[in-house]
Each structure stands twice: as C-alpha cells, then as structure tokens.
Amino acid sequence: MQDFINVGLLGAGTVGGGVIQVLERNAEDIAHKVGKPIKITKVFGRHPEALRKKYGEAYEYTANADDILQDPAIDIVVELLGREHPAKEVITTALSLGKNVVTANKDVIAKYGKALFDIAEEKQCDLMFEAAVAGGIPIIQPLKTSLAANKVHSLMGIVNGTTNYMLTKMSQERLDYNEVLADAQAKGYAESDPTADVGGLDAARKLVILASIAFNTPVALKDVQVEGIEKISLRDIEYAEELGYAIKLLAIAKTDPEHGISVSVHPTMLPKSHPLAGVSDVYNAIFVTADAVGDTMFMGLGAGRYPTASAVCGDIMDVARNMQHHENGRIRCTCYKEKQLCPLENVLTPCYIRMHVKDKSGALAAIAAAFGAQNVSLRNVIQKAKVNDEAEVVVITHTVSEANLQMALQVLQVLPVVSDVCTVIRVEDGSLE
Amino acid sequence: MQDFINVGLLGAGTVGGGVIQVLERNAEDIAHKVGKPIKITKVFGRHPEALRKKYGEAYEYTANADDILQDPAIDIVVELLGREHPAKEVITTALSLGKNVVTANKDVIAKYGKALFDIAEEKQCDLMFEAAVAGGIPIIQPLKTSLAANKVHSLMGIVNGTTNYMLTKMSQERLDYNEVLADAQAKGYAESDPTADVGGLDAARKLVILASIAFNTPVALKDVQVEGIEKISLRDIEYAEELGYAIKLLAIAKTDPEHGISVSVHPTMLPKSHPLAGVSDVYNAIFVTADAVGDTMFMGLGAGRYPTASAVCGDIMDVARNMQHHENGRIRCTCYKEKQLCPLENVLTPCYIRMHVKDKSGALAAIAAAFGAQNVSLRNVIQKAKVNDEAEVVVITHTVSEANLQMALQVLQVLPVVSDVCTVIRVEDGSLE
C-alpha cells in the first residue's frame, strides 16, 4: 500500500491545470484533512512535452490514456477531457478496473450516469461529479448528504453563467440581445457558436443531473422542455422591471404528487425580492425547496479554472477519505425510483405575453375575450403607446395550464386585431414564504 | 447486528419532535438512501407520559438518560437537550461508550468541541453537529468536504435570525429598535430576555464553530470581539441606505497572512449589491471566500423545528452510512493547527461614525482635522439639518486600523464642537469581484 493517494489526471487544460495547482498549493492542509498526501503521478494530454514545460518534472506525462487506466498503482482517475467521447469510455474502463473516478463531465453524467453507477456499485468504487453542475458550488453533495432526509418539492437553478451574464447586462445597461451576446463573446464568456448556452441545452444537461438526485429517479435530456433566451428583448426586460420582476434563465424541476415530475429550462420572470433575482453576472445559484428544510439557496461561480478545480479537488479528497477507511462506494446512485413525468399540458404557471395589436377600439376587449374563452384569466394588463402605428399590449395571466395557454396563443395568433405575438415568458412567484 | 440503525433521542421538544416526524414521514426514502431503515427506539424527556401521548406507542420513553446511554443496542445518540449541562456530560458519556453522536448544541460544540472530538477519535465514533450552526443550511459539511481543498480567506455570516428579522423590519417599515424588539418578542422570534440574540453572543458561539473549521485552528469564545445591535437606530439605517448600504449583524472571521486570524460579531454596513445584504427576515446565510472557489454563499432558515430537524436527520443518515461500512470517525476534528490571533489594534475596516456637533462654522474642519491627525482619511461626509439645535454629521472613513480608529474617537469625544458620538459601525465592502 502506497503512503500517498495516487491520482491519474486525464485532461490538463483549464480545469486540469487548476487541479494541479490547487493540489500543489494546498498539499499540506489537504494531507492533514485526508490523513495521507494526495499526489498526481501521471497526466494525460495530447501534447505531453507542452505539458511538461508548463507543469514541470514532478509528473509523468503521456499521450496514451491506458498508461493511467492500466496502471495498478493509480487509485483515483480524474477525467477532465470534456465532451462525451472518449470521456465515457475512459470512465467506464477506469471503473471496470476498480478505480475510483472523479469527473467534471456533465454530458457523460447526464447521459450515462445510471449505467456508470451500476459499474461503480458492482466494483465498490466511488464515482463523484460535484464539478459537473454549477462549478465550485457545493450542491451535488449537499443534496446527497446534508439535505438527504428531505423530500424535495422543487429546485430552480441559474446554472449557466453565460446567459446570466447576458441577461444581467441587458437589464443593467439597457442593451439589446445581440449587443450583449457580442460582448459576452468578446469577453470569452460565450463561444463563437453560443447555441448550447443561449439555447438552454447546457442548462438542461445540468438539470438532468440535479433532478435525478433531487427526485431519486432517472431523468433524460429528452424529458426536459428546453427554451433559450434568444427571443428575450430589452423591451421584455423593461416590462418585467415595471411589473417588479427580473428575467432569468432558470432550470426548473418540480414534483406534483398528482401528475408527477416536470423538468424545464426557460426564461423566467422572478419577483425582484426572490433570492435568485439578485444573482447577477456569471454567478450561478440553485434554490431548493424541500419538506423539512424549507427554502435554501447555494450561490457561487459556476465555471472557471479554480472554482471548478475546487469541486474536483473536494471530490478527490472525499474519495481519499473513503479509501482510508476502505469504504469506497459509500454513496450509491440515488436513482432508486421510477417516477412518472408530468404531461406537459398539465404544467401550471402564470405567463407573461407581449403582443402587437392594431390600435383600434375593441382590440383589448377582443384579446381579453380570447383568453377568457380558454379559461385564462389575466392578472396584469399594460397597453403602451404606439410602436410603428400599432399598440403594444402586455399581459400576465393567472396560473394557467400549458394546454390552455397554447390554445389561447393559437386563438390570439389568428385574431384579426393581433398582428404579432412577440414573446411568451413563464412567471415563477417562487416558494419563499 | 440489528437490521436497522438504532437511534436514541435525548430531548423531544421543538427540534426533537421535528426529528421524530421527519424520520417517520420520509422513512422509506431514508432507508433507500442509507441502505438500512433508521429507527428511533428510545426517547428521553422529563415527562415520558406527556411524550407518549404526543408521539404514540412506537417509541419507548424514559426520564433516565442512562436508559439510552447504557443501552448496548443503540447505535446513535441524538442530543437535543440544549444548553451546556447536562448535554456535555451526555455527549461525553455516549462517545466514551463508543456510540456515535449527533447534536444541535452550539454551546457545547463551541466550548468543548476539541475535547469531545478527541474522545470520538479515540473511540472511532462520529460526532456531527450540522444543526449547531445556521439550522437547516448545509455549511459544516460543505466546509469539511466539498470546499476542503480551499484555503479560506474569510467567512461572513448572518447567523442569528432574530436580529436579522429586527434589522429587516427596521429598514422596511422605518421602525425604531424598541418597536421591532417588542414585535419580535410578540412573534416568538426573540426571548423575553433577548440579550443573547441582540447582544451578539448567540452569533459569536456559532462563529467560534465556523472559524475553527474554516481555519483549522481552535477558536475560543473569548477570542471573539462581540458587539450587538442595541445601539443601532433608525437614523443609522436611513443614513446607510442613503449611502447605498444595508446594516446587518455579521459574524466575521478573517485571516491575515501577516497578523493572523480575527473573529468578530458586530453590526456591519454592507453594500446593497452584496448578496448578504439581500438576505432578509429570519433567513440566515454564510458567505465564504476562499482561494479556489472564490465567493460562495449558503442561504436558508437558521432555526425552527423542521429546518433544524433537516440538518439533524442529514447527520444521522451520514453516520448510518458510515456504520454500513464500519467506518465511523471518517471525518476527524479539523483543528490540526494553532494559528495566532490578529491583535485587535491591527484589524482593518472602513468605519461609519454618526455624531452630533455644535452647529457653528469650523466645526466640520475641526472634526476633519481630528481624524487627519490620526491618519484617518474620510471617504464620505454628510452634514444634515439641525437635530434639536445641533448638526448631525455622518462620516465614512477609508480603511483604518482599530488602533487609529479608537484614538480618533477619543479625540472626537473631547473635541469642544462634538457634543456626542452616537454610533460607530464597521463597513465591509465585501470581496465579491
């Protein structure tokens, strides 16, 4: 048995480099807390020589993953390759060979989590992934441990820093969508192809992981209703503020005892007083409502070299502690149920709708009637001065089922007085007492 | 070996009752997550018959703690008696007999934590106390696990719900101190003798626990500079808002590489944009700044039957998981260092000072000169209309050492133009980038 915990690192890019630095910088404290030193011995990367120049002679570098996976001396495999392949194969092999795995890979965990946990359980290994959701924010572990005695009612998260930065900037600097997107790209917050961020897919992957843990049931990406922020205009943000709301891209998981669980990612209007409404810039936060604890929120940086390394290293230490006590596999897969999904048409929320209408008498009455016919009652109505010869009408409905909402929208679209239904945004009044 | 985890409960009041209910209500899920059912078998209380009426025949009730402590079948002793004695003796006995202990007792942990952990380590037992600080908010575990790879720079907490409720109410409803205290007492948020809450002692005990874990060094109650909210008037809150700040009672732990660690509880002016400034009513929050994770915040209900039970039950489940793997004592005492305390005179913060001055020409100049003579430079100065024939002057200094501040205050107090120095409040500009 080695007198240190032997870590093999696959992927020494932004996050991997951060992990190397944190483990070096805080080595003494980490050894104290774990009871043994933790050492990275081998680092995998496509360009070993470049890595050697960067991180020095303390590590062995290889361009062949098997040098790590097949090395019997390595206790923990840290997978930071990103993307689905070969990360999934690397994790599978490591677990099959009885190695503990720490990963930051949301794509792999969201898609193959259950299958990988089956191997981990069979091999009595740890599979940890705190960094896969919301970077440095402790949320996976708290859900699995400190909050484990609770029945989670709902979970709402700002889990994509790029879109939160963009929406914050739109509202603070009164800029329109395309301006803030360009700015986010210039700052490196958004990729040249920003689709996965602004379209909500990145948030959806994280939600799949969070919901599976919160509700103890497998959730698949296809189950998530995904809607991005592309259609959010400055006008919507201004109306929201006028009505006392902020617009955030939220990943929402709810459970309805009668209809089952629902998972969705969409722009959401939140009361300004809600704790999530104050989470700005690239910060992430997860707001959890459960039967015993009530409302609780976890906030921090959802990405970046060191915050993500913080989560990865925390997991490595937890695995190392388990190794000290030969109790790897201590926390098993938490998906031991098969809960049904709430049919979309039964999902209930209030809704904000902005539309352009012909500016003639009776227009508003016709619109109100169209809503009424679908049992959609209105909570707020704003009619503003003309926008190129048309009136702009904004309504917020009372709580409405998706089914009724869609019918109402269809009717509106064909209503002669309505020339355009510009935006539809769900409203969350939050569960904060 | 029993086919369930056998829990003995000492104290079946507000929190104990909540623990009984949560373990009953979520029994099936808890068993799934832990791998074994968790059952309370014996309950200690001064009035067994009253408890039997309340919680039914499922449990055995006793007025003799030894019936639980000396019962070899009991795996986990849950101490919810509150206060220092006999809670400390109960925990000591339980650990000495090799039983795992879960407690919500901040007084005992703050004062005897280290000694109790020595017994726990010798006996290879768990000693867990998530509920001792900030009720249902997961903060002890995240500091010991998910964030364990970090060097913590500072920790600022709203850890007393009573005072946060009072300060929120003062600012939202423009009420003065005595009015909100009476209201808090009427609502049951404040005790008839509110000293421990409003005086900051309750927060100081929690800070002792948080700082010891964050800095891995023993911290004693006597090390904490404690100042309550008794002197905060509505005028201070109004000035704070005028200057863009909120006033919160913060428990603050900082580490200065040169001078050591400082721990203090005092009313603090926080920029309105700081996440802690938005934490209102009885909510608690802990804001942690560390080298890797950066800024992160944990928010939730810091007291109450179910939130506290959530933390206690989470700990019970963690102990139960360790038992499954015969690895209790997995997380040891985290105080493995002896860090020096920063001498008070070296503690640095900006400072808000409100004073009444004789309304004559040159008064302000004299005051500015008095500050200048002690190398205290001023960031903001407000002079308002007369208050019964005197002018009210408010200043915010730049960062100043406690030593210089105290000297400046002494000079001010004897300055002929100054008739009264009303309030002195530290200012935190927060470390949020």
Side-chain angles (χ1 to χ4, degrees), chain A residues 318-355:
Chain A
D318 222 38
V319 175
R321 282 196 180 105
N322 287 346
M323 288 180 58
Q324 299 298 291
H325 297 274
H326 317 286
E327 65 171 335
N328 298 102
R330 179 174 169 275
I331 294 186
R332 298 189 306 280
C333 182
T334 49
C335 296
Y336 51 80
K337 286 188 175 172
E338 286 287 347
K339 290 188 181 167
Q340 66 165 348
L341 285 170
C342 174
L344 182 58
E345 60 269 27
N346 295 341
V347 175
L348 301 169
T349 54
C351 207
Y352 156 103
I353 302 155
R354 178 168 63 91
M355 61 199 113

Side-chain angles (χ1 to χ4, degrees), chain A residues 26 29 33 144 148-151 291-292 296-297 299 306-307 310 318 321-322 325 327 330 336-337, chain B residues 25-26 29 33 144 148-151 291-292 296-297 299 306-307 310 318 321-322 327 330 336-337:
Chain A
N26 298 341
D29 284 296
K33 293 176 186 176
K144 288 187 171 191
N150 286 264
K151 265 200 175 53
D291 66 342
T296 174
M297 186 172 89
M299 191 209 85
Y306 296 109
S310 166
D318 222 38
R321 282 196 180 105
N322 287 346
H325 297 274
E327 65 171 335
R330 179 174 169 275
Y336 51 80
K337 286 188 175 172
Chain B
R25 189 168 65 198
N26 298 341
D29 284 295
K33 293 175 185 177
K144 289 188 170 190
N150 287 263
K151 264 199 176 53
D291 66 342
T296 175
M297 186 173 90
M299 190 210 85
Y306 296 109
S310 167
D318 224 36
R321 282 195 179 105
N322 287 344
E327 291 313 336
R330 177 174 170 275
Y336 50 80
K337 285 187 177 171

Side-chain angles (χ1 to χ4, degrees), chain A residues 23 53-54 83 226:
Chain A
L23 289 182
K53 284 198 189 61
K54 216 167 177 177
R83 304 276 168 77
V226 185

Side-chain angles (χ1 to χ4, degrees), chain A residues 49-363:
Chain A
E49 283 319 310
L51 292 176
R52 187 186 310 282
K53 284 198 189 61
K54 216 167 177 177
Y55 301 113
E57 300 296 331
Y59 314 101
E60 193 180 316
Y61 302 93
T62 173
N64 174 4
D66 280 331
D67 289 342
I68 289 174
L69 298 175
Q70 304 293 337
D71 179 345
I74 285 180
D75 307 302
I76 306 175
V77 167
V78 177
E79 182 281 310
L80 301 173
L81 302 167
R83 304 276 168 77
E84 207 171 306
H85 306 287
K88 180 224 172 189
E89 290 69 23
V90 162
I91 296 173
T92 307
T93 308
L95 291 171
S96 308
L97 291 166
K99 295 192 187 303
N100 302 294
V101 172
V102 172
T103 176
N105 196 313
K106 63 179 178 301
D107 305 32
V108 170
I109 296 297
K111 196 161 173 184
Y112 306 103
K114 184 97 180 65
L116 294 172
F117 262 106
D118 290 342
I119 308 175
E121 195 159 344
E122 183 203 331
K123 298 288 182 176
Q124 286 283 297
C125 292
D126 288 321
L127 170 58
M128 308 195 79
F129 53 89
E130 183 63 76
V133 179
I137 305 172
I139 180 63
I140 304 294
Q141 282 294 87
L143 283 174
K144 288 187 171 191
T145 59
S146 309
L147 299 178
N150 286 264
K151 265 200 175 53
V152 175
H153 296 319
S154 69
L155 181 151
M156 302 196 291
I158 295 172
V159 292
N160 179 272
T162 308
T163 45
N164 202 47
Y165 172 83
M166 289 172 65
L167 291 170
T168 303
K169 198 141 173 104
M170 284 174 81
S171 107
Q172 285 177 356
E173 298 175 25
R174 295 283 183 257
L175 299 172
D176 217 327
Y177 178 82
N178 294 319
E179 299 172 85
V180 295
L181 175 56
D183 170 80
Q185 286 170 320
K187 286 206 170 60
Y189 292 153
E191 327 234 332
S192 50
D193 172 6
T195 322
D197 288 322
V198 300
L201 181 63
D202 173 78
R205 290 209 174 95
K206 294 164 178 168
L207 180 62
V208 163
I209 298 173
L210 289 172
S212 308
I213 296 168
F215 299 143
N216 309 110
T217 185
V219 174
L221 194 54
K222 62 169 176 45
D223 302 331
V224 185
Q225 296 298 321
V226 185
E227 190 186 313
I229 64 166
E230 304 94 329
K231 288 192 198 147
I232 302 298
S233 80
L234 181 54
R235 296 192 67 77
D236 298 309
I237 285 176
E238 286 167 339
Y239 279 114
E241 286 182 359
E242 184 176 341
L243 293 157
Y245 292 93
I247 298 179
K248 295 289 186 184
L249 180 67
L250 293 190
I252 302 175
K254 289 183 178 177
T255 178
D256 168 335
E258 189 190 341
H259 296 109
I261 66 173
S262 59
V263 278
S264 58
V265 171
H266 53 66
T268 311
M269 284 176 48
L270 275 174
K272 283 212 188 94
S273 60
H274 194 285
L276 283 171
V279 176
S280 53
D281 300 321
V282 295
Y283 279 86
N284 282 18
I286 295 99
F287 188 87
V288 181
T289 303
D291 66 342
V293 78
D295 294 321
T296 174
M297 186 172 89
F298 304 76
M299 191 209 85
L301 289 165
R305 167 171 238 176
Y306 296 109
T308 311
S310 166
V312 171
C313 295
D315 279 352
I316 293 172
M317 291 173 71
D318 222 38
V319 175
R321 282 196 180 105
N322 287 346
M323 288 180 58
Q324 299 298 291
H325 297 274
H326 317 286
E327 65 171 335
N328 298 102
R330 179 174 169 275
I331 294 186
R332 298 189 306 280
C333 182
T334 49
C335 296
Y336 51 80
K337 286 188 175 172
E338 286 287 347
K339 290 188 181 167
Q340 66 165 348
L341 285 170
C342 174
L344 182 58
E345 60 269 27
N346 295 341
V347 175
L348 301 169
T349 54
C351 207
Y352 156 103
I353 302 155
R354 178 168 63 91
M355 61 199 113
H356 290 157
V357 307
K358 305 221 166 40
D359 190 14
K360 55 168 125 160
S361 65

